[in-house]
Amino acid sequence: MPTNQSEEQSRKAFKQAKKRKKQQPAETEKTTSEKHTRKQHKQHQKAEKKKQIKPRRRVFPIWLRLIVIILLAAAALMAGLMIGYGLLGDGNPMDALRIETWQHIIDIVMQE
């Protein structure tokens, strides 16, 4: 049930427009010769897409990207070790990269 007069008028207008639409012939439809099936339309789109897209060659290959990422991660690790050991720990920054330093740290941790 409509709650107010404007809602009732809008419902009536909607119903009248619906009736007029049913009574009018579909003038906007294409003739059968102009229509394409969905399959034909998709095939046409694929053909156009193939013409437009050229195979893309990567300038920076994926395997090279992985190697660069690994190298950058290793460099960041070494820089962090040197900053932490040298500046924060009051030691020589180059000592953070020596094996003897790490052996000493492992001995301290494993000692009971």
Side-chain angles (χ1 to χ4, degrees), residues 4-111:
N4 56 25
Q5 189 176 6
S6 63
E7 188 176 335
E8 186 177 334
Q9 289 174 350
S10 64
R11 286 178 186 243
K12 284 181 182 179
F14 176 75
K15 287 180 182 180
Q16 288 173 356
K18 200 172 181 181
K19 283 182 183 178
R20 273 188 255 127
K21 190 176 182 180
K22 283 183 181 180
Q23 291 173 354
Q24 292 176 349
E27 298 171 0
T28 58
E29 284 189 31
K30 295 179 182 178
T31 62
T32 54
S33 62
E34 294 175 351
K35 287 185 179 181
H36 293 289
T37 63
R38 183 177 207 153
K39 190 174 184 180
Q40 289 172 339
H41 183 66
K42 283 191 176 191
Q43 287 174 349
H44 181 69
Q45 282 181 337
K46 283 183 183 180
E48 284 182 2
K49 196 172 187 181
K50 283 183 181 181
K51 289 178 187 176
Q52 292 175 353
I53 297 177
K54 294 178 183 176
R56 185 176 138 192
R57 182 178 167 145
R58 296 185 191 271
V59 177
F60 198 52
I62 294 175
W63 63 268
L64 188 58
R65 290 179 194 183
L66 292 174
I67 291 173
V68 168
I69 289 172
I70 291 170
L71 291 176
L72 288 174
L77 177 68
M78 285 193 277
L81 286 172
M82 291 174 75
I83 290 171
Y85 191 80
L87 297 177
L88 300 177
D90 294 331
N92 184 6
M94 291 305 289
D95 286 343
L97 303 177
R98 293 179 50 214
I99 295 176
E100 293 84 17
T101 305
W102 290 101
Q103 187 61 44
H104 181 69
I105 291 171
I106 290 171
D107 290 341
I108 292 173
V109 170
M110 294 298 178
Q111 190 178 35

